[in-house]
Amino acid sequence: MPPTSRRRAAAASNARSWDDPQLAPVVLVRGPEQLLTERAVDGVLDLARAAQPEVEKVELEGATYAVGQLTVAASPSLFGEAKMVVVRGAEACTDDLVADVVAYVAAPDPDSTVVVVHGGGTRGKRMLDAITASGAPELRCEAITKDADKVAFVTGEFKQARRRADAAAVRALVDALGNDLRELASACAQLVADTTGTIGEATVDRYYGGRVEATGFKVADAAVAGDAGAAVALLRHALATGADPVPVVAALALRLRTLARVAAIRGGSTTARELGLQDWQVRNANKDLARWTPEGLAAAITAVARADAEVKGGGRDPVFAVERAVLTIARSRRG
């Protein structure tokens, strides 16, 4: 087997999820999602302390690393305590770090654990290849960008806390805070700490319904449903409490794009899987499309495109632009 193929095979066999840590002389934590990398490192540290409660943790920075630091940090202490050395920011590594890690991996100290945290990219490839070839476990911390993965993350947070949240509550939380994984995790922890029983949509709305993302989608829902009064009232409340028109217009555009995509599915030109839609999105859009004509949908999309240009500097009054778009969407729906 060629060397490249062997490295790929080794990487595949050693790869584990961030939440499935393994204690070993060398551990690679790899991926751009910082919250998950922190949790992966904490998971390895928990295992190390479970094995030896007095383990000493030492941290090194990849960008400022100087020759010999790893050897000194990983050496046994005067009192014989185990060491856990965390090398952070290895994606910005110095040449000295690459050389020292490659040398260390060839003969690691069995009483220490060295965790190399690499945020992604190709810098330090020789170091990464050496770690992978050694058989060290690799904890993957890929960015969570897909809607379904965010839902799964929130569900997992509540499951870990031994609390039940219904599907509507999880959906509302992702809609409200889905752009920031750390904030999502913090919100789950707050809901667990502050409430009892099953967490429902009303509870999430009480805590986070005022967020820009959630408000934008509520405006979009009301407009697509043809309820001009409710849509404008929600919009004015959002703007009065500090919401920026730009993300509100983005929510309108996203809602209409979903309708257009599902309309394409109904026309038989493509499938939900090809468009990256979830089942719940298709079901909801199909209900809405019963009251929409192709001409009405086209008019609504055109209105949002115009508003998008105006709220990003192309018009004098962004508030008027987004309100006009909301009214156009609501009026374009068939009665």
Side-chain angles (χ1 to χ4, degrees):
M1 183 182 293
T4 301
S5 299
R6 284 199 298 271
R7 284 195 296 269
R8 288 175 179 169
S13 63
N14 301 340
R16 309 166 72 91
S17 173
W18 63 270
D19 56 354
D20 184 24
Q22 180 181 348
L23 194 60
V26 179
V27 178
L28 176 61
V29 175
R30 190 173 187 179
E33 195 65 73
Q34 290 188 359
L35 174 65
L36 302 188
T37 61
E38 290 172 12
R39 290 187 174 185
V41 171
D42 288 343
V44 177
L45 180 59
D46 288 343
L47 291 176
R49 286 177 173 164
Q52 297 192 54
E54 301 303 319
V55 66
E56 179 185 354
K57 181 184 176 186
V58 181
E59 298 213 5
L60 303 174
E61 285 295 331
T64 57
Y65 181 88
V67 64
Q69 286 184 312
L70 177 59
T71 301
V72 173
S75 299
S77 68
L78 292 174
F79 302 100
E81 290 95 344
K83 291 282 195 73
M84 175 166 159
V85 182
V86 181
V87 183
R88 297 192 183 275
E91 69 279 2
C93 59
T94 62
D95 291 340
D96 288 336
L97 177 62
V98 173
D100 282 2
V101 170
V102 170
Y104 184 85
V105 164
D109 187 326
D111 295 323
S112 299
T113 297
V114 172
V115 181
V116 178
V117 183
H118 194 285
T122 58
R123 189 175 179 88
K125 184 177 183 301
R126 186 164 69 94
M127 170 181 64
L128 297 175
D129 287 346
I131 296 172
T132 299
S134 74
E138 177 183 334
L139 304 183
R140 298 279 180 89
C141 305
E142 301 300 333
I144 295 181
T145 56
K146 293 182 179 179
D147 191 80
D149 292 338
K150 294 174 185 177
V151 169
F153 175 79
V154 170
T155 301
E157 292 291 284
F158 287 128
K159 184 177 180 180
Q160 181 70 22
R162 299 179 183 273
R163 285 292 297 279
R164 184 179 181 278
D166 60 36
V170 173
R171 176 74 259 154
L173 199 56
V174 171
D175 284 346
L177 304 169
N179 290 334
D180 188 324
L181 194 67
R182 194 180 298 277
E183 202 165 13
L184 263 181
S186 177
C188 291
Q190 181 180 21
L191 289 169
V192 168
D194 291 357
T195 66
T196 58
T198 298
I199 298 169
E201 183 179 11
T203 302
V204 174
D205 193 56
R206 186 166 68 249
Y207 277 77
Y208 301 105
R211 297 303 298 264
V212 171
E213 296 89 348
T215 300
F217 283 108
K218 287 181 178 178
V219 172
D221 287 342
V224 168
D227 192 341
V232 170
L234 284 166
L235 174 63
R236 289 176 178 173
H237 172 72
L239 297 175
T241 54
D244 190 304
V246 173
V248 176
V249 172
L252 294 170
L254 179 61
R255 192 76 163 80
L256 291 173
R257 282 199 301 270
T258 300
L259 288 183
R261 289 176 177 178
V262 174
I265 296 171
R266 295 174 81 181
S269 59
T270 188
T271 66
R273 181 180 295 274
E274 290 172 341
L275 293 175
L277 296 175
Q278 305 300 314
D279 290 342
W280 66 268
Q281 291 175 303
V282 175
R283 287 195 300 270
N284 290 347
N286 271 320
K287 292 178 183 177
D288 291 327
L289 284 170
R291 293 287 188 177
W292 281 85
T293 63
E295 294 77 16
L297 188 56
I301 291 172
T302 299
V304 172
R306 178 182 179 184
D308 184 66
E310 292 182 356
V311 300
K312 292 178 179 176
R316 296 181 179 179
D317 189 343
V319 172
F320 172 75
V322 68
E323 186 167 315
R324 181 182 58 205
V326 165
L327 288 171
T328 301
I329 295 169
R331 292 166 181 167
S332 297
R333 179 180 182 269
R334 185 171 59 192

